Amino acid sequence: QLTMSLNSSTFSNEENAQGPKRNTECLESLELQTPPSFQDNPLQQLQLASQEVLEKAKKSGRSKCPRCNSSRMFYCYTCFVPVETVPTKEIPTVKLPLKIDIIKHPNETDGKSTAVHAKLLAPDDVTIYKYPCIPEYKEKRHEIALIFPGPNSVSVKDIAFHLQKYTKKGGCDSDDDCSREPLLKQAKIEPKEEKNPNECISSSRSEGTRLKKIIFIDSTWNQTNKIITDERLQGLLQIELKTRKTCFWRHQKGKPDTYLSTIEAIYYFLVDYHQEILKESYKGQYDNLLFFFSFMYTLIKNARCCAGKE
């Protein structure tokens, strides 16, 4: 799987690594390729729910999907549900501050994508679409943004300012229009009255959190162009993320370690959004989005160590 880029010069890359399976106790077909940041293990500081349920499932091996009866490890990547040996009640649920749409390329291998992690862990807030079956976004461009690098991409902290350029009546009709400074609004002439301080705070907060939905593209770098040029995605505000190093074990060889997996991109965006837009201190509210990712990371790392000793 390859995903989305997160800053203006890097693409979140999950392209399939080639090579034989090194350890049968690992997840199905997980290559033991080590990205540059693999040794650092930044995932150690995450505040995660107990992963004992995954430990037990690992020992018992593959299990059936309760919906399609396919044999899977941990979860079914086509039905987006845990397998029979992983009780749903033991999987953490994460509540997100906005909705997320993930657009998957039709040739993207479901079993190698981390996009499903988001759906499993935040089922009420995440929707996965398989391209070209995607929604029409034009009428809601004033409250939607797309994570994608490019010359017109803006940082997370500038989201509120740039969304002012979009109106409920249609937003910008061209990239040139969108790049212009927003017109100053004329002040309304109304009778003077004292305002409730709480209402002022609420109004200010509302202005800064008018973003309702964020879109991520889940595909290889070579596949992305077909999706990003789709007319249904044109005119959307594009966001770039701060540079982070990936921990993804299928990181494409030869690519920068700033190419993130889809679930990493979603997680880091939400952390930035929480701090930059909601203006709240981050205390691990979204860490469980990496519940499966961090477990697999450790699993592969251990397998790598074992392989090195053989």
Side-chain angles (χ1 to χ4, degrees), residues 35-38 40 42 242-248 256-260 264 268:
S37 62
F38 214 74
D40 304 336
K242 295 178 181 178
T243 301
R244 266 101 169 193
K245 292 184 178 181
T246 186
C247 288
F248 192 51
D257 58 2
T258 49
Y259 283 22
L260 305 180
E264 287 176 301
Y268 285 124

Side-chain angles (χ1 to χ4, degrees), residues 6-7 10 37 156 240-247 256-260 264-265 267-273 275-276:
L6 304 184
N7 55 57
T10 62
S37 62
V156 172
E240 63 181 15
L241 303 187
K242 295 178 181 178
T243 301
R244 266 101 169 193
K245 292 184 178 181
T246 186
C247 288
D257 58 2
T258 49
Y259 283 22
L260 305 180
E264 287 176 301
Y267 169 74
Y268 285 124
F269 165 79
L270 289 171
V271 172
D272 289 346
Y273 181 84
Q275 297 173 320
E276 302 285 358

Side-chain angles (χ1 to χ4, degrees), residues 77-80 101-111 113 115 127-135 137 216-219 226-227 230 232:
Y77 44 75
T78 51
C79 298
F80 309 140
D101 281 1
I102 300 174
I103 301 175
K104 286 178 58 65
H105 191 280
N107 294 336
E108 189 67 14
T109 304
D110 292 336
S113 170
T127 303
I128 298 178
Y129 296 96
K130 182 163 287 189
Y131 188 82
C133 299
I134 65 175
Y137 294 109
F216 291 82
I217 296 177
D218 187 50
S219 73
K226 182 177 180 62
I227 296 178
D230 189 288
R232 290 167 291 184

Side-chain angles (χ1 to χ4, degrees), residues 37-77:
S37 62
F38 214 74
Q39 307 301 327
D40 304 336
N41 195 4
L43 306 178
Q44 286 182 334
Q45 305 304 317
L46 295 175
Q47 299 180 42
L48 300 172
S50 172
Q51 295 175 321
E52 184 179 356
V53 62
L54 300 182
E55 287 286 356
K56 291 180 179 178
K58 181 189 70 172
K59 293 177 181 178
S60 60
R62 296 159 67 96
S63 181
K64 287 185 178 181
C65 167
R67 293 186 183 177
C68 68
N69 290 320
S70 297
S71 177
R72 302 279 190 253
M73 179 69 83
F74 301 140
Y75 55 81
C76 179
Y77 44 75

Side-chain angles (χ1 to χ4, degrees), residues 144-155 159 166 175 228 233-240:
I144 297 176
L146 170 67
I147 299 296
F148 198 84
N152 296 319
S153 296
V154 304
S155 63
I159 288 176
Y166 299 79
D175 288 341
I228 195 61
L233 299 180
Q234 302 311 300
L236 291 177
L237 179 65
Q238 294 185 7
I239 308 298
E240 63 181 15

Side-chain angles (χ1 to χ4, degrees), residues 110-216:
D110 292 336
K112 294 183 177 181
S113 170
T114 62
V116 64
H117 296 183
K119 181 62 178 176
L120 285 162
L121 298 164
D124 295 335
D125 298 317
V126 175
T127 303
I128 298 178
Y129 296 96
K130 182 163 287 189
Y131 188 82
C133 299
I134 65 175
E136 293 284 350
Y137 294 109
K138 184 175 181 180
E139 296 303 318
K140 294 187 177 182
R141 285 187 293 179
H142 60 287
E143 59 185 32
I144 297 176
L146 170 67
I147 299 296
F148 198 84
N152 296 319
S153 296
V154 304
S155 63
V156 172
K157 67 178 181 180
D158 293 327
I159 288 176
F161 172 78
H162 288 278
L163 280 180
Q164 294 178 30
K165 303 170 187 177
Y166 299 79
T167 67
K168 293 184 179 180
K169 294 182 179 180
C172 305
D173 292 324
S174 69
D175 288 341
D176 290 339
D177 291 335
C178 290
S179 63
R180 295 171 185 165
E181 292 297 312
L183 296 176
L184 294 177
K185 296 181 180 178
Q186 292 184 345
K188 294 182 179 179
I189 301 177
E190 298 178 346
K192 292 184 178 181
E193 60 181 38
E194 291 188 15
K195 295 184 177 180
N196 186 321
N198 291 330
E199 290 181 358
C200 294
I201 295 174
S202 176
S203 176
S204 176
R205 180 184 176 86
S206 175
E207 188 69 20
T209 59
R210 60 193 303 178
L211 182 67
K212 298 293 190 297
K213 180 178 290 186
I214 197 77
I215 302 170
F216 291 82

